[in-house]
Amino acid sequence: MRNISRVLVAAGTAAAAVAMTASPAQASNDAIVHVKDCDLTYCPSVGYGHFNSDPVGSNYPGDALRACDTEPDGWGVKAWMLDSEGKIIRSATTQGYDSPYCTPWKTGDLPENMYVNIIVCKIKGTTTDGCRSGDGWA
C-alpha cells in the first residue's frame, strides 16, 4: 500500500520533467487511466480516472476530470489532476458511493496547451493502492 503524499510527489516530479521536455505547441489530448486489481498485465480494471480535454456536446465538458468505480470490491477510486509543477488542480473520488458509480465532472477552464498529469488510485479510508498515472493536454 502506498502513502499518497509519496505518490503525488513522485508523480509531480515526473510531470515536471515531462513538461520541461515537451513541445510548447501540443494539441489537446484526453487521458483515461485505469486502476487494476493487481500489478500484473492481465489483471482486470476496477475503475478509472478520465480527463476530457475538449467539450463533446453536453455530456463531456472540456478540461474536466471524473473518477469511476466499476467493481463492488470495497475500494473506491480517486483521481487527481496535477499541473507541471505537481500541484493538484482538481480531484474526484467515488468514496462513499456504491459501485458502479462515476462522479460528476469536476470542471474549470485551463490554459490551452497546458500539460496535466492524471493520477488514479484505489482508495479505502486513507489507504491508497494500485496507483497509476497518465498524461493529458488541455
Side-chain angles (χ1 to χ4, degrees):
M1 312 233 177
R2 298 181 183 177
N3 179 327
I4 192 61
S5 59
R6 279 191 201 154
V7 172
L8 293 176
V9 168
T13 302
V18 169
M20 286 188 269
T21 60
S23 160
Q26 178 70 34
S28 61
N29 188 41
D30 297 353
I32 298 176
V33 180
H34 287 269
V35 179
K36 295 188 174 190
D37 204 19
C38 67
D39 288 332
L40 302 174
T41 304
Y42 60 83
C43 289
S45 172
V46 296
Y48 59 92
H50 183 183
F51 167 67
N52 193 66
S53 60
D54 293 324
V56 180
S58 60
N59 293 328
Y60 296 95
D63 299 336
L65 177 72
R66 71 176 174 178
C68 294
D69 184 357
T70 58
E71 294 296 322
D73 56 5
W75 289 83
V77 173
K78 186 159 186 176
W80 294 268
M81 180 192 306
L82 288 74
D83 67 13
S84 62
E85 296 174 358
K87 291 191 290 187
I88 297 172
I89 300 169
R90 60 184 63 106
S91 65
T93 184
T94 66
Q95 274 188 301
Y97 295 92
D98 291 335
S99 179
Y101 174 75
C102 286
T103 66
W105 289 101
K106 308 293 182 179
T107 64
D109 195 31
L110 298 174
E112 290 301 308
N113 303 319
M114 179 181 176
Y115 168 81
V116 294
N117 183 244
I118 308 303
I119 300 172
V120 184
C121 302
K122 297 188 315 184
I123 189 164
K124 186 185 293 186
T126 59
T127 302
T128 58
D129 194 24
C131 299
R132 298 182 183 272
S133 67
D135 302 326
W137 296 90

Short mmCIF file of all heavy atoms in Angstrom, two decimals, residues 39-87:
data_model
loop_
_atom_site.label_atom_id
_atom_site.label_comp_id
_atom_site.label_asym_id
_atom_site.label_seq_id
_atom_site.Cartn_x
_atom_site.Cartn_y
_atom_site.Cartn_z
N ASP A 39 -0.84 -5.80 -9.96
CA ASP A 39 0.19 -5.20 -10.81
C ASP A 39 0.54 -6.02 -12.04
O ASP A 39 1.40 -5.62 -12.81
CB ASP A 39 1.47 -4.94 -9.99
CG ASP A 39 1.29 -3.80 -9.01
OD1 ASP A 39 0.48 -2.90 -9.30
OD2 ASP A 39 1.96 -3.81 -7.97
N LEU A 40 -0.10 -7.15 -12.24
CA LEU A 40 0.20 -7.99 -13.40
C LEU A 40 -0.53 -7.47 -14.63
O LEU A 40 -1.59 -6.85 -14.54
CB LEU A 40 -0.18 -9.43 -13.11
CG LEU A 40 0.50 -10.06 -11.87
CD1 LEU A 40 -0.06 -11.44 -11.60
CD2 LEU A 40 2.00 -10.10 -12.07
N THR A 41 0.00 -7.74 -15.79
CA THR A 41 -0.55 -7.26 -17.05
C THR A 41 -1.98 -7.70 -17.28
O THR A 41 -2.80 -6.93 -17.75
CB THR A 41 0.32 -7.75 -18.24
OG1 THR A 41 1.66 -7.32 -18.02
CG2 THR A 41 -0.19 -7.22 -19.55
N TYR A 42 -2.31 -8.92 -16.93
CA TYR A 42 -3.64 -9.47 -17.23
C TYR A 42 -4.70 -9.13 -16.19
O TYR A 42 -5.84 -9.55 -16.32
CB TYR A 42 -3.55 -10.99 -17.41
CG TYR A 42 -3.05 -11.72 -16.18
CD1 TYR A 42 -3.90 -12.05 -15.15
CD2 TYR A 42 -1.71 -12.07 -16.07
CE1 TYR A 42 -3.44 -12.70 -14.02
CE2 TYR A 42 -1.25 -12.73 -14.95
CZ TYR A 42 -2.12 -13.04 -13.94
OH TYR A 42 -1.65 -13.69 -12.82
N CYS A 43 -4.36 -8.39 -15.15
CA CYS A 43 -5.34 -8.07 -14.11
C CYS A 43 -6.42 -7.13 -14.66
O CYS A 43 -6.11 -6.20 -15.41
CB CYS A 43 -4.67 -7.42 -12.92
SG CYS A 43 -3.68 -8.57 -11.99
N PRO A 44 -7.66 -7.36 -14.26
CA PRO A 44 -8.75 -6.52 -14.77
C PRO A 44 -8.77 -5.13 -14.14
O PRO A 44 -8.30 -4.92 -13.02
CB PRO A 44 -10.00 -7.31 -14.38
CG PRO A 44 -9.59 -8.08 -13.18
CD PRO A 44 -8.14 -8.42 -13.37
N SER A 45 -9.33 -4.20 -14.86
CA SER A 45 -9.54 -2.84 -14.36
C SER A 45 -10.67 -2.86 -13.35
O SER A 45 -11.67 -3.56 -13.53
CB SER A 45 -9.91 -1.91 -15.52
OG SER A 45 -10.28 -0.64 -15.04
N VAL A 46 -10.51 -2.10 -12.25
CA VAL A 46 -11.56 -1.98 -11.24
C VAL A 46 -12.14 -0.57 -11.23
O VAL A 46 -13.05 -0.28 -10.46
CB VAL A 46 -11.06 -2.38 -9.84
CG1 VAL A 46 -10.67 -3.85 -9.82
CG2 VAL A 46 -9.92 -1.50 -9.38
N GLY A 47 -11.60 0.29 -12.07
CA GLY A 47 -12.08 1.67 -12.17
C GLY A 47 -11.09 2.51 -12.95
O GLY A 47 -10.05 2.01 -13.40
N TYR A 48 -11.43 3.78 -13.09
CA TYR A 48 -10.55 4.65 -13.88
C TYR A 48 -10.80 6.11 -13.56
O TYR A 48 -11.82 6.49 -13.00
CB TYR A 48 -10.75 4.40 -15.38
CG TYR A 48 -12.16 4.61 -15.89
CD1 TYR A 48 -12.56 5.85 -16.40
CD2 TYR A 48 -13.09 3.58 -15.86
CE1 TYR A 48 -13.86 6.04 -16.86
CE2 TYR A 48 -14.38 3.77 -16.32
CZ TYR A 48 -14.76 4.99 -16.82
OH TYR A 48 -16.04 5.19 -17.28
N GLY A 49 -9.83 6.92 -13.93
CA GLY A 49 -9.96 8.36 -13.92
C GLY A 49 -9.98 8.82 -15.37
O GLY A 49 -9.29 8.25 -16.21
N HIS A 50 -10.79 9.81 -15.67
CA HIS A 50 -10.95 10.26 -17.05
C HIS A 50 -10.78 11.78 -17.11
O HIS A 50 -11.53 12.51 -16.46
CB HIS A 50 -12.34 9.86 -17.54
CG HIS A 50 -12.62 10.20 -18.98
ND1 HIS A 50 -13.83 9.95 -19.55
CD2 HIS A 50 -11.86 10.78 -19.94
CE1 HIS A 50 -13.81 10.35 -20.81
NE2 HIS A 50 -12.62 10.87 -21.06
N PHE A 51 -9.78 12.23 -17.85
CA PHE A 51 -9.60 13.65 -18.14
C PHE A 51 -10.09 13.88 -19.56
O PHE A 51 -9.63 13.24 -20.50
CB PHE A 51 -8.13 14.07 -18.03
CG PHE A 51 -7.85 15.43 -18.62
CD1 PHE A 51 -8.38 16.57 -18.03
CD2 PHE A 51 -7.08 15.57 -19.76
CE1 PHE A 51 -8.14 17.82 -18.57
CE2 PHE A 51 -6.83 16.81 -20.31
CZ PHE A 51 -7.37 17.94 -19.70
N ASN A 52 -11.07 14.78 -19.71
CA ASN A 52 -11.59 15.13 -21.02
C ASN A 52 -11.13 16.54 -21.35
O ASN A 52 -11.47 17.50 -20.66
CB ASN A 52 -13.12 15.05 -21.02
CG ASN A 52 -13.67 15.10 -22.42
OD1 ASN A 52 -13.44 14.18 -23.19
ND2 ASN A 52 -14.37 16.16 -22.76
N SER A 53 -10.33 16.67 -22.40
CA SER A 53 -9.71 17.96 -22.71
C SER A 53 -10.64 18.94 -23.42
O SER A 53 -10.62 20.13 -23.10
CB SER A 53 -8.44 17.75 -23.55
OG SER A 53 -8.76 17.09 -24.76
N ASP A 54 -11.41 18.47 -24.36
CA ASP A 54 -12.28 19.36 -25.14
C ASP A 54 -13.73 18.95 -25.00
O ASP A 54 -14.04 17.75 -24.92
CB ASP A 54 -11.89 19.32 -26.63
CG ASP A 54 -10.53 19.93 -26.88
OD1 ASP A 54 -10.19 20.92 -26.20
OD2 ASP A 54 -9.79 19.42 -27.74
N PRO A 55 -14.65 19.92 -24.98
CA PRO A 55 -16.07 19.57 -24.82
C PRO A 55 -16.59 18.73 -25.99
O PRO A 55 -16.17 18.93 -27.13
CB PRO A 55 -16.78 20.92 -24.78
CG PRO A 55 -15.77 21.97 -24.96
CD PRO A 55 -14.42 21.33 -25.10
N VAL A 56 -17.48 17.80 -25.67
CA VAL A 56 -18.18 17.00 -26.67
C VAL A 56 -19.64 17.03 -26.28
O VAL A 56 -20.09 16.28 -25.42
CB VAL A 56 -17.66 15.54 -26.70
CG1 VAL A 56 -18.41 14.74 -27.75
CG2 VAL A 56 -16.17 15.49 -26.93
N GLY A 57 -20.39 17.95 -26.86
CA GLY A 57 -21.79 18.11 -26.51
C GLY A 57 -21.94 18.47 -25.04
O GLY A 57 -21.03 19.01 -24.42
N SER A 58 -23.07 18.12 -24.44
CA SER A 58 -23.29 18.45 -23.03
C SER A 58 -22.86 17.32 -22.10
O SER A 58 -22.81 17.51 -20.88
CB SER A 58 -24.77 18.77 -22.80
OG SER A 58 -25.55 17.65 -23.15
N ASN A 59 -22.53 16.15 -22.65
CA ASN A 59 -22.15 15.01 -21.81
C ASN A 59 -20.68 15.01 -21.39
O ASN A 59 -20.32 14.39 -20.40
CB ASN A 59 -22.45 13.69 -22.53
CG ASN A 59 -23.92 13.47 -22.70
OD1 ASN A 59 -24.72 13.89 -21.88
ND2 ASN A 59 -24.30 12.82 -23.79
N TYR A 60 -19.83 15.68 -22.15
CA TYR A 60 -18.40 15.67 -21.88
C TYR A 60 -17.85 17.09 -21.92
O TYR A 60 -17.42 17.57 -22.96
CB TYR A 60 -17.66 14.81 -22.91
CG TYR A 60 -18.05 13.36 -22.85
CD1 TYR A 60 -19.03 12.85 -23.68
CD2 TYR A 60 -17.44 12.51 -21.94
CE1 TYR A 60 -19.39 11.51 -23.61
CE2 TYR A 60 -17.79 11.16 -21.86
CZ TYR A 60 -18.77 10.68 -22.70
OH TYR A 60 -19.13 9.36 -22.63
N PRO A 61 -17.84 17.78 -20.76
CA PRO A 61 -17.28 19.13 -20.75
C PRO A 61 -15.76 19.11 -20.92
O PRO A 61 -15.12 18.09 -20.69
CB PRO A 61 -17.67 19.64 -19.36
CG PRO A 61 -17.83 18.41 -18.53
CD PRO A 61 -18.31 17.34 -19.46
N GLY A 62 -15.21 20.24 -21.33
CA GLY A 62 -13.77 20.34 -21.53
C GLY A 62 -13.03 20.61 -20.24
O GLY A 62 -13.59 21.13 -19.28
N ASP A 63 -11.73 20.26 -20.22
CA ASP A 63 -10.85 20.45 -19.06
C ASP A 63 -11.47 19.84 -17.81
O ASP A 63 -11.42 20.41 -16.72
CB ASP A 63 -10.56 21.94 -18.83
CG ASP A 63 -9.85 22.59 -20.01
OD1 ASP A 63 -9.20 21.85 -20.78
OD2 ASP A 63 -9.95 23.80 -20.17
N ALA A 64 -12.07 18.68 -17.96
CA ALA A 64 -12.86 18.07 -16.88
C ALA A 64 -12.27 16.74 -16.43
O ALA A 64 -11.66 16.01 -17.21
CB ALA A 64 -14.29 17.86 -17.36
N LEU A 65 -12.47 16.43 -15.16
CA LEU A 65 -11.97 15.20 -14.56
C LEU A 65 -13.12 14.49 -13.84
O LEU A 65 -13.96 15.13 -13.22
CB LEU A 65 -10.88 15.54 -13.53
CG LEU A 65 -10.30 14.36 -12.74
CD1 LEU A 65 -9.41 13.50 -13.63
CD2 LEU A 65 -9.51 14.88 -11.54
N ARG A 66 -13.13 13.16 -13.92
CA ARG A 66 -14.06 12.38 -13.13
C ARG A 66 -13.40 11.06 -12.76
O ARG A 66 -12.42 10.63 -13.38
CB ARG A 66 -15.38 12.13 -13.84
CG ARG A 66 -15.30 11.17 -15.00
CD ARG A 66 -16.68 10.93 -15.57
NE ARG A 66 -16.60 10.11 -16.77
CZ ARG A 66 -17.64 9.70 -17.45
NH1 ARG A 66 -18.85 10.05 -17.06
NH2 ARG A 66 -17.49 8.96 -18.51
N ALA A 67 -13.94 10.41 -11.73
CA ALA A 67 -13.48 9.09 -11.29
C ALA A 67 -14.64 8.12 -11.43
O ALA A 67 -15.78 8.48 -11.16
CB ALA A 67 -13.00 9.15 -9.85
N CYS A 68 -14.32 6.90 -11.84
CA CYS A 68 -15.34 5.87 -11.99
C CYS A 68 -14.89 4.59 -11.31
O CYS A 68 -13.77 4.12 -11.52
CB CYS A 68 -15.60 5.57 -13.47
SG CYS A 68 -16.34 6.95 -14.36
N ASP A 69 -15.77 4.02 -10.49
CA ASP A 69 -15.54 2.75 -9.81
C ASP A 69 -16.44 1.73 -10.49
O ASP A 69 -17.65 1.90 -10.53
CB ASP A 69 -15.90 2.89 -8.33
CG ASP A 69 -15.60 1.65 -7.52
OD1 ASP A 69 -15.16 0.63 -8.09
OD2 ASP A 69 -15.81 1.70 -6.30
N THR A 70 -15.84 0.68 -11.04
CA THR A 70 -16.61 -0.29 -11.82
C THR A 70 -16.81 -1.63 -11.12
O THR A 70 -17.54 -2.46 -11.62
CB THR A 70 -15.93 -0.53 -13.19
OG1 THR A 70 -14.59 -1.01 -12.96
CG2 THR A 70 -15.90 0.74 -14.01
N GLU A 71 -16.16 -1.83 -9.96
CA GLU A 71 -16.24 -3.12 -9.27
C GLU A 71 -16.65 -2.95 -7.81
O GLU A 71 -16.06 -2.14 -7.10
CB GLU A 71 -14.90 -3.85 -9.33
CG GLU A 71 -14.49 -4.28 -10.72
CD GLU A 71 -15.43 -5.29 -11.34
OE1 GLU A 71 -15.92 -6.19 -10.61
OE2 GLU A 71 -15.70 -5.19 -12.54
N PRO A 72 -17.61 -3.74 -7.34
CA PRO A 72 -18.01 -3.68 -5.92
C PRO A 72 -17.05 -4.48 -5.04
O PRO A 72 -17.39 -5.52 -4.49
CB PRO A 72 -19.41 -4.30 -5.94
CG PRO A 72 -19.38 -5.25 -7.09
CD PRO A 72 -18.47 -4.63 -8.12
N ASP A 73 -15.82 -4.00 -4.92
CA ASP A 73 -14.77 -4.72 -4.19
C ASP A 73 -14.43 -4.11 -2.83
O ASP A 73 -13.48 -4.51 -2.18
CB ASP A 73 -13.50 -4.79 -5.05
CG ASP A 73 -13.01 -3.42 -5.48
OD1 ASP A 73 -13.59 -2.39 -5.04
OD2 ASP A 73 -12.06 -3.36 -6.27
N GLY A 74 -15.20 -3.10 -2.40
CA GLY A 74 -14.93 -2.45 -1.13
C GLY A 74 -13.98 -1.27 -1.22
O GLY A 74 -13.75 -0.58 -0.25
N TRP A 75 -13.39 -1.06 -2.39
CA TRP A 75 -12.49 0.06 -2.62
C TRP A 75 -13.20 1.11 -3.46
O TRP A 75 -14.02 0.78 -4.32
CB TRP A 75 -11.25 -0.39 -3.41
CG TRP A 75 -10.30 -1.24 -2.63
CD1 TRP A 75 -10.39 -2.59 -2.42
CD2 TRP A 75 -9.12 -0.81 -1.97
NE1 TRP A 75 -9.34 -3.01 -1.67
CE2 TRP A 75 -8.53 -1.94 -1.37
CE3 TRP A 75 -8.49 0.43 -1.82
CZ2 TRP A 75 -7.35 -1.88 -0.65
CZ3 TRP A 75 -7.31 0.49 -1.10
CH2 TRP A 75 -6.75 -0.65 -0.51
N GLY A 76 -12.86 2.37 -3.24
CA GLY A 76 -13.30 3.45 -4.11
C GLY A 76 -12.19 3.76 -5.10
O GLY A 76 -11.13 3.14 -5.09
N VAL A 77 -12.42 4.74 -5.94
CA VAL A 77 -11.41 5.21 -6.89
C VAL A 77 -11.27 6.71 -6.71
O VAL A 77 -12.28 7.43 -6.61
CB VAL A 77 -11.83 4.88 -8.35
CG1 VAL A 77 -10.87 5.51 -9.34
CG2 VAL A 77 -11.90 3.38 -8.56
N LYS A 78 -10.02 7.17 -6.64
CA LYS A 78 -9.77 8.60 -6.53
C LYS A 78 -8.84 9.02 -7.65
O LYS A 78 -7.85 8.34 -7.94
CB LYS A 78 -9.17 8.96 -5.17
CG LYS A 78 -9.04 10.47 -5.00
CD LYS A 78 -8.95 10.88 -3.56
CE LYS A 78 -8.98 12.40 -3.45
NZ LYS A 78 -8.99 12.86 -2.07
N ALA A 79 -9.17 10.15 -8.29
CA ALA A 79 -8.36 10.69 -9.38
C ALA A 79 -7.92 12.11 -9.02
O ALA A 79 -8.70 12.88 -8.47
CB ALA A 79 -9.17 10.69 -10.67
N TRP A 80 -6.68 12.42 -9.35
CA TRP A 80 -6.13 13.76 -9.16
C TRP A 80 -5.62 14.27 -10.49
O TRP A 80 -5.07 13.51 -11.28
CB TRP A 80 -4.95 13.75 -8.20
CG TRP A 80 -5.24 13.40 -6.79
CD1 TRP A 80 -5.55 14.25 -5.77
CD2 TRP A 80 -5.22 12.09 -6.22
NE1 TRP A 80 -5.71 13.55 -4.61
CE2 TRP A 80 -5.52 12.22 -4.86
CE3 TRP A 80 -4.98 10.81 -6.73
CZ2 TRP A 80 -5.58 11.14 -3.99
CZ3 TRP A 80 -5.05 9.73 -5.88
CH2 TRP A 80 -5.35 9.90 -4.53
N MET A 81 -5.78 15.56 -10.73
CA MET A 81 -5.19 16.23 -11.88
C MET A 81 -4.13 17.19 -11.35
O MET A 81 -4.43 18.05 -10.52
CB MET A 81 -6.25 17.00 -12.67
CG MET A 81 -5.69 17.73 -13.88
SD MET A 81 -6.86 18.91 -14.63
CE MET A 81 -8.27 17.90 -14.91
N LEU A 82 -2.88 17.01 -11.81
CA LEU A 82 -1.77 17.85 -11.36
C LEU A 82 -1.23 18.67 -12.52
O LEU A 82 -1.26 18.22 -13.67
CB LEU A 82 -0.64 16.99 -10.81
CG LEU A 82 -0.85 16.32 -9.46
CD1 LEU A 82 -1.79 15.15 -9.56
CD2 LEU A 82 0.48 15.87 -8.91
N ASP A 83 -0.71 19.85 -12.19
CA ASP A 83 -0.06 20.66 -13.22
C ASP A 83 1.40 20.22 -13.37
O ASP A 83 1.85 19.28 -12.70
CB ASP A 83 -0.19 22.16 -12.93
CG ASP A 83 0.56 22.61 -11.69
OD1 ASP A 83 1.42 21.86 -11.15
OD2 ASP A 83 0.31 23.75 -11.26
N SER A 84 2.16 20.90 -14.20
CA SER A 84 3.55 20.51 -14.47
C SER A 84 4.46 20.69 -13.27
O SER A 84 5.56 20.15 -13.24
CB SER A 84 4.09 21.29 -15.67
OG SER A 84 4.10 22.68 -15.36
N GLU A 85 4.03 21.43 -12.26
CA GLU A 85 4.82 21.61 -11.05
C GLU A 85 4.41 20.63 -9.95
O GLU A 85 4.92 20.68 -8.84
CB GLU A 85 4.69 23.05 -10.55
CG GLU A 85 5.27 24.06 -11.53
CD GLU A 85 5.02 25.49 -11.11
OE1 GLU A 85 4.37 25.73 -10.07
OE2 GLU A 85 5.48 26.38 -11.83
N GLY A 86 3.44 19.76 -10.24
CA GLY A 86 3.00 18.77 -9.28
C GLY A 86 1.93 19.27 -8.32
O GLY A 86 1.58 18.57 -7.37
N LYS A 87 1.37 20.44 -8.57
CA LYS A 87 0.29 20.96 -7.73
C LYS A 87 -1.05 20.39 -8.19
O LYS A 87 -1.31 20.28 -9.39
CB LYS A 87 0.25 22.48 -7.77
CG LYS A 87 1.46 23.12 -7.09
CD LYS A 87 1.30 24.60 -6.88
CE LYS A 87 1.36 25.33 -8.19
NZ LYS A 87 1.37 26.79 -8.05
#
